[in-house]
């Protein structure tokens, strides 16, 4: 659906050149929700704006549904853009126009008759759950409702692609979830390809099929969303994952524990198996769960548990070896402090 080849965008000024996008290549499939995540300044919004040539790339290729957008003359490019909807963090609504008029704007620009504009606008407002707000003005709406109007407007011309630039960043967590559910429903019902730019890994976890991580204008890692969460390779990706999956163990708890504290990551079916209980039966150790959580990403389980293991050092060693053979990730957060105390006293 969307193919980007060796894309570069350099911003020139009198004093310097700033690289916004650095040699990026991506393929986004028909009907998927593709996330691009990165911190501010990573180049993700610039990349998104290059996808519909709101920013003209310095070099490279952009294909949407087989059409080379950069090869189109201005008039044909404007026509091609009608198949690409876009929503923004700041909503970009006309405050002096009603909700209905805001949604109908793109239809009017496309030359659609008044009657058909009316029918299509009411259909879209029903789709986004705002049938009763058609005569109101943006100032009378909540942030979530404004974003729903923006989504309805972006769908007016039956686009094949929807580009979302930080579409939930200005919203509270509950409203964010409702907007993400709406986008997922639109994706399912209309078969729309959605590209979602965000700096929040929680957003990616909720609805994205695949994800790319950007840093300094480059794609540093990309994969299916579940795979990125289960087995991140890049240090920045791991940092993003920690904002969603990790939790801090209080220092007081560390002080109270005398055994070996280990953090374990369970992926897929292993998150539903009795690996820990089997471990406690097989080896002469005792286990105390300190913390844990299971998330479901793309309907597959991913769990992280922190556990204190107590027992003879050799049994602990064997148990850790067994965990490392069975799990995606095992990290010892604190070694057996009782053993260390005895060793220190011997010296």
């Amino acid at each position: 659906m969307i193919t980007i080849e060796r894309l570069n965008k350099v911003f020139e000024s009198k004093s310097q050149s700033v690289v916004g996008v650095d040699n990026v290549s991506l393929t986004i499939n028909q009907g998927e929700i593709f996330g691009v995540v990165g911190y501010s300044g990573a180049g993700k919004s610039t990349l998104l704006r290059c996808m519909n040539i709101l920013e003209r790339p310095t070099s490279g290729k952009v294909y949407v549904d087989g059409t080379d957008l950069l090869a189109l003359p201005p008039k044909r490019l404007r026509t091609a853009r009608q198949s690409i909807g876009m929503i923004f963090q700041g909503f970009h609504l006309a405050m002096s126009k009603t909700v209905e008029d805001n949604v109908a704007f793109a239809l009017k620009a496309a030359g659609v008759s008044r009657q058909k504009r009316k029918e299509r606008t009411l259909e879209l407002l029903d789709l986004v759950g705002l049938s009763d707000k058609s005569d109101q003005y943006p100032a009378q709406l909540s942030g979530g409702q404004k974003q729903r109007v923006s989504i309805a407007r972006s769908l007016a011309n039956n686009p094949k692609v929807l580009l979302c630039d930080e579409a939930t960043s200005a919203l509270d967590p509950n409203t964010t979830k409702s907007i993400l559910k709406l986008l997922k429903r639109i994706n399912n019902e209309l078969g729309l390809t959605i590209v979602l730019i965000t700096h929040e890994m929680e957003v990616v976890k909720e609805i994205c099929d695949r994800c790319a991580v950007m840093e300094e204008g480059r794609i540093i890692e990309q994969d299916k969303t579940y795979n990125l969460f289960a087995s991140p390779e890049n240090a920045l990706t791991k940092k993003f994952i920690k904002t969603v999956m990790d939790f801090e163990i209080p220092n007081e708890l560390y002080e109270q524990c005398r055994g070996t504290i280990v953090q374990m990551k369970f992926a897929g079916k292993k998150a539903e198996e009795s690996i820990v209980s089997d471990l406690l039966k097989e080896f002469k150790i005792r286990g105390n769960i300190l913390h844990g959580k299971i998330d479901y990403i793309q309907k597959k389980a991913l769990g992280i548990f922190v556990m204190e293991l107590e027992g003879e050092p050799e049994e602990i060693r064997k148990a850790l070896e067994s965990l490392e053979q069975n799990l995606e990730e095992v990290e010892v957060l604190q070694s057996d402090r009782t053993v260390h105390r005895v060793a220190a006293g011997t010296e």
Side-chain angles (χ1 to χ4, degrees):
M1 167 52 73
I2 301 175
T3 302
I4 296 170
E5 297 179 354
R6 299 181 298 279
L7 195 74
N8 293 279
K9 175 61 183 178
V10 180
F11 296 95
E12 301 283 359
S13 68
K14 292 182 179 180
S15 59
Q16 63 178 340
S17 297
V18 177
V19 177
V21 177
D22 186 1
N23 197 33
V24 166
S25 293
L26 276 179
T27 298
I28 299 169
N29 301 319
Q30 167 67 41
E32 77 174 337
I33 302 179
F34 191 95
V36 181
V37 66
Y39 290 120
S40 296
K44 55 191 186 298
S45 290
T46 301
L47 174 63
L48 192 78
R49 292 170 65 85
C50 285
M51 289 184 189
N52 61 358
I53 322 302
L54 284 178
E55 289 284 358
R56 197 160 192 91
T58 305
S59 62
K61 296 286 186 180
V62 179
Y63 296 91
V64 176
D65 202 20
T67 299
D68 182 356
L69 297 187
L70 290 168
L72 297 178
K75 187 175 181 179
R76 287 186 60 195
L77 178 58
R78 287 194 296 271
T79 301
R81 281 201 186 111
Q82 292 181 7
S83 67
I84 306 172
M86 191 162 185
I87 59 176
F88 305 88
Q89 176 182 352
F91 316 129
H92 289 199
L93 300 177
M95 302 303 286
S96 61
K97 295 186 179 296
T98 66
V99 166
E100 182 177 336
D101 289 339
N102 268 281
V103 176
F105 178 80
L107 294 168
K108 188 176 182 179
V112 177
S113 68
R114 179 175 295 183
Q115 180 59 36
K116 288 187 176 179
R117 287 204 305 268
K118 181 80 172 180
E119 292 172 1
R120 178 62 174 158
T121 298
L122 294 179
E123 175 188 331
L124 289 167
L125 288 176
D126 181 59
L127 176 67
V128 300
L130 293 177
S131 296
D132 59 337
K133 305 294 183 184
S134 61
D135 295 329
Q136 294 191 9
Y137 290 85
Q140 298 173 280
L141 305 178
S142 67
Q145 289 170 334
K146 290 176 184 175
Q147 194 59 284
R148 286 172 183 267
V149 175
S150 180
I151 292 170
R153 182 184 58 187
S154 72
L155 299 176
N157 286 312
N158 294 303
K160 298 177 181 178
V161 176
L162 181 61
L163 306 180
C164 306
D165 191 3
E166 298 280 9
T168 61
S169 295
L171 306 176
D172 63 74
N174 287 333
T175 306
T176 291
K177 285 191 175 182
S178 71
I179 293 296
L180 293 178
K181 285 182 180 178
L182 174 60
L183 290 174
K184 184 64 177 177
R185 181 161 64 86
I186 289 170
N187 168 256
N188 288 333
E189 293 180 5
L190 305 182
L192 204 63
T193 302
I194 297 177
V195 183
L196 197 152
I197 297 296
T198 183
H199 62 273
E200 300 170 296
M201 210 64 186
E202 183 70 39
V203 170
V204 171
K205 180 176 76 71
E206 285 290 322
I207 65 168
C208 293
D209 301 305
R210 290 194 298 137
C211 177
V213 182
M214 283 194 77
E215 183 179 31
E216 296 181 346
R218 299 187 303 274
I219 299 291
I220 59 172
E221 189 168 1
Q222 62 174 303
D223 206 333
K224 291 181 179 179
T225 300
Y226 186 88
N227 294 344
L228 280 184
F229 273 82
S231 304
E233 296 181 359
N234 187 276
L236 180 61
T237 308
K238 292 177 181 179
K239 189 175 180 180
F240 271 116
I241 300 302
K242 282 188 175 183
T243 64
V244 178
M245 296 298 297
D246 268 20
F247 34 74
E248 293 291 331
I249 302 297
N251 288 331
E252 293 79 5
L253 194 55
Y254 278 112
E255 290 297 322
Q256 294 171 14
C257 294
R258 289 293 177 261
T260 297
I261 300 177
V262 58
Q263 179 171 290
M264 300 163 278
K265 181 182 286 185
F266 297 76
K269 291 184 178 179
K270 290 179 181 178
E272 301 168 0
E273 294 176 358
S274 57
I275 292 176
V276 171
S277 60
D278 291 345
L279 187 83
L280 299 178
K281 292 177 183 177
E282 182 177 356
F283 301 99
K284 297 176 182 178
I285 57 175
R286 298 178 302 280
N288 177 29
I289 293 179
L290 305 178
H291 214 313
K293 66 182 295 189
I294 294 180
D295 270 305
Y296 286 86
I297 304 168
Q298 296 177 306
K299 299 181 180 179
K300 292 195 292 185
L302 182 65
I304 293 183
F305 290 87
V306 177
M307 179 177 248
E308 178 189 18
L309 302 178
E310 295 182 289
E312 293 298 320
E314 181 62 16
E315 291 296 302
I316 296 291
R317 184 188 66 78
K318 291 178 182 178
L320 291 175
E321 285 183 355
S322 177
L323 287 173
E324 289 171 351
Q325 291 171 4
N326 284 283
L327 300 181
E328 277 64 32
E329 185 179 305
V330 178
E331 180 183 359
V332 175
L333 303 180
Q334 176 177 287
S335 297
D336 190 323
R337 298 175 65 200
T338 304
V339 173
H340 288 181
R341 281 206 317 276
V342 171
T346 303
E347 291 174 357

